Amino acid sequence: MTDRYAVVGNPIAHSKSPRIHAAFARQTAQDLSYEAILAPLDGFAASMAGFIAAGGCGMNVTLPFKLEAFALAECHTARAEAARAANTLKFEPGQILGDNTDGAGLVADLVRNLDCPIAGQRVLLLGAGGAARGVVLPLLGESPASLTVANRTPSGALALRDTFAAQANVAACSFAGLAGQQFDLVINATSASLAGQAPAIPPGLYAPGSTAYDMMYGRGMTAFLASAQSQGASRLADGLGMLVEQAAESFLLWRGVRPDTRLVLADLAAELHGT
Ligand code: ATR
């Protein structure tokens, strides 16, 4: 019988996950189906239960259900624990495993696809919500020279720093508090791009040769990337690669096989960016 997987979110119509996982399945000759499920805003638990009852083997979870998915999972990977959010569920006999592959996806995109090493680099992470929290541990795992978290509301950055105080020395400050510092890699994990805005960071933060990475992606350049370009960032990347890489990590968890992401990413990039 064909194994069933799905992505659940609200909205979900424009999700690229079904297409990505179908390509991975073809490439690795895995017999599986992957569908998109729109769950009502108050109906994630029921949608998940229905999918399990119908024989579902695993699920990706997207906005706004990642916290709920984490809460419903009966055991968690260390990276899901650190993020306190799950984007991947694996339905094992008798238990639901919650994982979070977003951070690993970001790191894989930076290191493998973009040839942008994190080791030894001065890294700035903008934002302190769920998206930022999910990538802190995987970034630290790459041994950056420093990791600074800055947030519009400074208390959010301080709270995030304190969460990871046992793991490493993370610096935290307000946007204004960044003035005078320089970074090799600036990652936008705020949701500002959704509103077409760029985080109001001071000028002069981009070191020569630096990279600006927006975890969001879209057809054109995001406001953050446009502003990074005008402030001297040498390289710009949006989150399309992260999307494909987090999917590959989920696929690996479910199927025990790591798909080759290059062709799938090239295909999506051609469609979105014309590259
Ligand atoms: P997500 O799960 O996407 O991280 P979230 O938990 O609601 O969503 O967090 C949104 C993050 O984007 C927060 O860090 C938020 O900053 P505040 O804590 O100050 O609210 C940040 N954010 C949203 N809009 C922003 C904007 N226009 N400029 C800068 N930061 C913004």
Side-chain angles (χ1 to χ4, degrees):
M1 212 173 84
T2 300
D3 290 339
R4 286 181 68 185
Y5 296 87
V7 60
V8 182
N10 186 333
I12 201 65
H14 295 104
S15 171
K16 301 200 181 306
S17 293
R19 183 167 149 195
I20 293 170
H21 282 278
F24 288 166
R26 273 195 307 276
Q27 180 204 107
T28 58
Q30 297 277 309
D31 184 15
L32 62 87
S33 69
Y34 189 106
E35 64 208 87
I37 297 175
L38 175 72
L41 290 176
D42 61 353
F44 175 73
S47 292
M48 185 187 81
F51 192 63
I52 293 173
C57 301
M59 236 178 202
N60 282 130
V61 182
T62 187
L63 296 179
F65 300 126
K66 291 184 187 186
L67 300 181
E68 212 177 332
F70 178 81
L72 288 167
E74 290 142 349
C75 57
H76 305 99
T77 61
R79 56 196 186 181
E81 277 303 344
R84 281 185 277 135
N87 76 331
T88 306
L89 298 173
K90 186 177 183 187
F91 305 132
E92 297 171 324
Q95 75 172 4
I96 300 169
L97 171 68
D99 192 8
N100 193 314
T101 66
D102 286 331
L106 170 68
V107 167
D109 192 35
L110 282 164
V111 174
R112 282 197 241 131
N113 299 335
L114 299 167
D115 198 18
C116 175
I118 298 160
Q121 304 295 294
R122 294 163 293 177
V123 180
L124 170 61
L125 182 63
L126 300 172
R133 194 168 60 227
V135 300
V136 169
L137 215 51
L139 285 172
L140 288 172
E142 294 296 303
S143 307
S146 62
L147 177 62
T148 302
V149 179
N151 196 44
R152 179 177 61 182
T153 310
S155 58
L158 300 179
L160 196 63
R161 175 195 66 190
D162 293 346
T163 304
F164 293 97
Q167 270 89 6
N169 197 2
V170 177
C173 63
S174 63
F175 289 161
L178 292 167
Q181 301 185 54
Q182 286 226 307
F183 299 93
D184 307 300
L185 172 60
V186 180
I187 300 167
N188 181 25
T190 74
S191 52
S193 298
L194 283 178
Q197 296 171 347
I201 52 176
L205 301 184
Y206 291 94
S210 59
T211 300
Y213 190 102
D214 199 335
M215 284 168 50
M216 302 276 167
Y217 67 89
R219 276 202 180 275
M221 212 191 268
T222 66
F224 164 73
L225 291 178
S227 130
Q229 188 174 43
S230 72
Q231 290 181 26
S234 300
R235 287 215 306 177
L236 310 172
D238 74 7
L240 189 64
M242 177 177 172
L243 173 79
V244 175
E245 295 297 340
Q246 62 78 29
E249 285 283 329
S250 299
F251 196 91
L252 174 65
L253 177 82
W254 292 329
R255 310 302 297 184
V257 190
R258 178 182 287 285
D260 185 340
T261 52
R262 281 170 301 182
L263 282 179
V264 180
L265 180 52
D267 201 35
L268 286 172
E271 185 180 302
L272 267 170
H273 304 147
T275 52

